[in-house]
């Protein structure tokens, strides 16, 4: 079984949004972290409008038990 959870920082940006959508297509639960609004609303996607440093507890909770973090923020 592959990764089932991911965090994408910069998820409202062009590359972060594309990555999050692709992960969702392969049934990966995605937590998006960005200073901007959510780029979309889909099952399996959660969004935190925050900086990474302020979202550490939520990131750690989402990745508990394993997962991957993609840093796509500029």
């Amino acid at each position: 079984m592959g990764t089932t959870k991911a965090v994408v920082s910069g998820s409202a940006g062009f590359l972060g949004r594309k990555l999050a959508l692709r992960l969702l297509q392969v049934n990966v639960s995605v937590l998006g972290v960005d200073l901007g609004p959510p780029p979309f609303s889909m099952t399996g996607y959660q969004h935190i409008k925050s900086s990474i440093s302020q979202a550490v507890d939520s990131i750690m909770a989402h990745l508990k038990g394993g997962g991957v973090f993609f840093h796509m923020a500029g």
Side-chain angles (χ1 to χ4, degrees):
M1 181 179 202
T3 298
T4 60
K5 297 183 285 185
V7 172
V8 178
S9 68
S11 61
F14 180 77
L15 293 176
R17 181 176 62 247
K18 297 290 185 185
L19 175 60
L21 284 169
R22 180 65 184 128
L23 291 167
L24 290 166
Q25 288 174 345
V26 295
N27 297 319
V28 174
S29 173
V30 177
L31 174 65
V33 181
D34 199 291
L35 294 174
F40 48 78
S41 176
M42 290 181 70
T43 300
Y45 180 79
Q46 295 177 286
H47 186 84
I48 297 175
K49 186 175 177 180
S50 172
S51 67
I52 295 169
S53 62
Q54 293 174 330
V56 170
D57 291 339
S58 296
I59 292 168
M60 297 302 288
H62 184 75
L63 295 177
K64 186 174 182 175
V68 63
F69 184 100
F70 295 96
H71 181 58
M72 306 300 287

